[in-house]
Amino acid sequence: MSDRTWDWNPSEEYLTEGLPPGVVAEVERLATELAALGPDSVRVGRPVDREGGLREFDFLAGRGFISFLAVPRHECVYVCHITWSG
């Protein structure tokens, strides 16, 4: 288990505006799981051919995805964008 955390970037209000509560809950669950991966979170999702940078991860059977940034020196995963096509 990791001591890393996650946060919204820019803000929860901005990123979740208009999204169903279940979608927000799933994003929060995924962000918690990504933070728990610790340093390995820089390799999760797309792009698959390199580490670091802005990453994408599908959720809810491909009906949406999150873009996140894992910053090892901050020991934090930042959720930067949510796309929902539900």
Side-chain angles (χ1 to χ4, degrees):
M1 198 69 162
S2 172
D3 291 334
R4 294 179 184 237
T5 187
W6 69 273
D7 201 0
W8 305 98
N9 184 11
S11 70
E12 179 179 9
E13 295 78 22
Y14 180 80
L15 292 173
T16 63
E17 182 179 355
L19 292 176
V23 171
V24 176
E26 180 65 6
V27 169
E28 291 173 343
R29 186 191 70 79
L30 288 171
T32 300
E33 295 293 323
L34 288 167
L37 288 173
D40 292 332
S41 60
V42 298
R43 292 187 287 276
V44 173
R46 293 182 301 268
V48 295
D49 59 341
R50 63 181 168 84
E51 292 182 6
L54 193 63
R55 323 256 334 141
E56 292 181 354
F57 192 79
D58 293 351
F59 68 96
L60 294 175
R63 296 185 337 197
F65 69 88
I66 61 172
S67 297
F68 66 94
L69 187 60
V71 182
R73 71 176 174 205
H74 292 181
E75 296 186 346
C76 189
V77 171
Y78 296 98
V79 176
C80 301
H81 191 297
I82 304 168
T83 300
W84 176 245
S85 61

